[in-house]
Amino acid sequence: MNTINQVKNKLLSYNVKPSLQRIEVMKYLLEYKNHPTADMIFNELSPSIPTLSKTTVYNTLKLLSDSGVIQSLNIDEKNVRYDGDLSTHAHFRCTKCGKILDIPLENQDNLNKIPMPDSRDFQITECQVYYKGECKDCQKN
Amino acid sequence: MNTINQVKNKLLSYNVKPSLQRIEVMKYLLEYKNHPTADMIFNELSPSIPTLSKTTVYNTLKLLSDSGVIQSLNIDEKNVRYDGDLSTHAHFRCTKCGKILDIPLENQDNLNKIPMPDSRDFQITECQVYYKGECKDCQKN
DNA sequence: CTTTGTGCAAATTCTTTGCACCAAA
DNA sequence: TTTGGTGCAAAGAATTTGCACAAAG
């Protein structure tokens, strides 16, 4: 459960000014772990914030990911997906139904088991692991 | 070095009819390991195939990736990238200059060291590992 | 006041589609 | 002569930009 104040403080800790719109976008990402697109967020928040514009959603998502509060995923070739969960985990996308699921990487060190490129040659700031295939539900059909 | 005939046979082995355009796109991907966009391929091939259209490049890339001859990468949020190398490797994109480099995964089994989701729940057909950061050249500046 | 955020409309960019023509089997 | 490939122009979809107005400090 994320209270408005918790969300507000989270934004503040990343130096993001907590406007109503930003708080609601962030709250949505923390509450629903569905890795939504900008469009999905707009459609979900639009009823409760009637004046909300898609531009603001885009602006906010860009600001939040640039500030490091959220991460953006390119697991879906059509739209960018967003994830408010910054803990170490991979993602799975079902190529049939499009659902995106978190895949735990058993412990925090597991990412290091992926052979890292020589740190003298690269300064790695980000690593994304994407799985694709068919989810349990879609396999039944 | 890939002769026209080697490329032609490669396409045939994947049940892709080897038209001139398809051969040239495939040859390009095998020769240049620059993970090009559709646009880059079009611009490179256009001079030597003056009648070439971007539609055909898109058609061909879709056909080749659907047929499993090449893979498409979503490491770049703007455009889809293509890779004619199907061997097991990760990719690195420099967020400064945009260059995409192959990252060897020391041996063929390394991908399996990434904790795999329970195979009863997921049928994995594909795994992509994307690193982002700054390349050696960009770190100097 | 002055700065920053919001939101409309228009623009941009990448990609796909409809369709007519062409080429190969 | 039938099937499939190519390429033009137009459409489509996601995202960005320009700009005017509103809000907050």
Side-chain angles (χ1 to χ4, degrees):
Chain A
M1 192 56 222
N2 295 283
T3 68
I4 300 283
N5 266 324
Q6 285 173 318
V7 176
K8 196 181 284 193
N9 287 330
K10 175 152 202 168
L11 294 183
L12 284 170
S13 73
Y14 284 90
N15 293 311
V16 171
K17 285 194 185 167
S19 72
L20 166 72
Q21 289 86 338
R22 291 172 182 172
I23 290 169
E24 288 304 317
V25 168
M26 189 68 223
K27 194 150 93 58
Y28 182 87
L29 283 167
L30 292 173
E31 237 149 57
Y32 302 93
K33 312 276 190 181
N34 54 346
H35 312 86
T37 63
D39 204 61
M40 287 161 76
I41 296 174
F42 172 76
N43 288 322
E44 291 302 316
L45 297 184
S46 208
S48 53
I49 316 172
T51 61
L52 184 67
S53 77
K54 210 173 271 186
T55 303
T56 298
V57 175
Y58 276 110
N59 286 342
T60 300
L61 290 169
K62 185 172 184 350
L63 176 67
L64 294 181
S65 52
D66 286 352
S67 308
V69 198
I70 66 175
Q71 62 176 325
S72 64
L73 310 178
N74 292 107
I75 195 171
D76 179 349
E77 39 277 342
K78 296 284 176 196
N79 325 303
V80 182
R81 300 295 192 129
Y82 295 91
D83 190 348
D85 179 1
L86 292 182
S87 72
T88 300
H89 63 284
H91 292 98
F92 168 86
R93 185 168 64 86
C94 176
T95 50
K96 245 185 172 175
C97 69
K99 196 167 25 190
I100 297 178
L101 301 166
D102 288 329
I103 303 295
L105 295 175
E106 271 102 62
N107 64 64
Q108 305 251 353
D109 294 327
N110 265 328
L111 264 188
N112 300 325
K113 291 191 182 145
I114 302 167
M116 292 294 283
D118 188 324
S119 60
R120 284 169 301 182
D121 290 343
F122 304 99
Q123 189 89 41
I124 303 292
T125 56
E126 194 189 330
C127 176
Q128 296 278 342
V129 179
Y130 297 145
Y131 294 99
K132 296 178 190 180
E134 259 184 48
C135 72
K136 185 158 57 175
D137 293 344
C138 285
Q139 281 177 67
K140 289 179 196 153
N141 311 325
Chain B
M1 193 57 223
N2 294 284
T3 69
I4 300 283
N5 265 324
Q6 286 174 318
V7 176
K8 197 182 284 193
N9 287 330
K10 176 152 203 167
L11 293 183
L12 284 170
S13 73
Y14 283 90
N15 294 310
V16 171
K17 285 196 185 166
S19 73
L20 167 71
Q21 290 84 340
R22 291 171 182 174
I23 291 169
E24 290 303 318
V25 168
M26 190 67 223
K27 194 151 92 57
Y28 182 87
L29 283 168
L30 292 173
E31 236 149 59
Y32 303 93
K33 313 277 189 179
N34 55 345
H35 313 85
T37 63
D39 204 61
M40 287 161 75
I41 296 174
F42 173 76
N43 288 321
E44 292 302 315
L45 297 183
S46 207
S48 52
I49 316 171
T51 62
L52 184 66
S53 77
K54 211 172 271 187
T55 303
T56 298
V57 175
Y58 276 111
N59 286 341
T60 300
L61 291 170
K62 185 172 184 352
L63 177 67
L64 293 181
S65 53
D66 285 353
S67 307
V69 198
I70 66 175
Q71 62 176 324
S72 64
L73 310 178
N74 291 107
I75 195 170
D76 179 350
E77 39 279 342
K78 296 284 177 197
N79 325 303
V80 181
R81 300 296 192 129
Y82 295 92
D83 191 348
D85 179 1
L86 293 181
S87 71
T88 301
H89 62 284
H91 292 97
F92 168 85
R93 185 168 65 84
C94 174
T95 49
K96 243 185 173 175
C97 69
K99 196 166 26 189
I100 296 178
L101 300 166
D102 288 329
I103 302 296
L105 296 175
E106 271 102 62
N107 63 64
Q108 306 249 351
D109 294 328
N110 264 328
L111 265 189
N112 301 326
K113 291 191 182 145
I114 303 168
M116 293 292 284
D118 189 323
S119 60
R120 284 169 301 183
D121 289 344
F122 304 99
Q123 189 89 39
I124 304 292
T125 56
E126 194 189 329
C127 176
Q128 296 277 343
V129 180
Y130 298 143
Y131 294 100
K132 296 178 190 179
E134 260 184 48
C135 72
K136 186 159 56 175
D137 293 343
C138 286
Q139 280 177 69
K140 288 178 198 152
N141 312 324

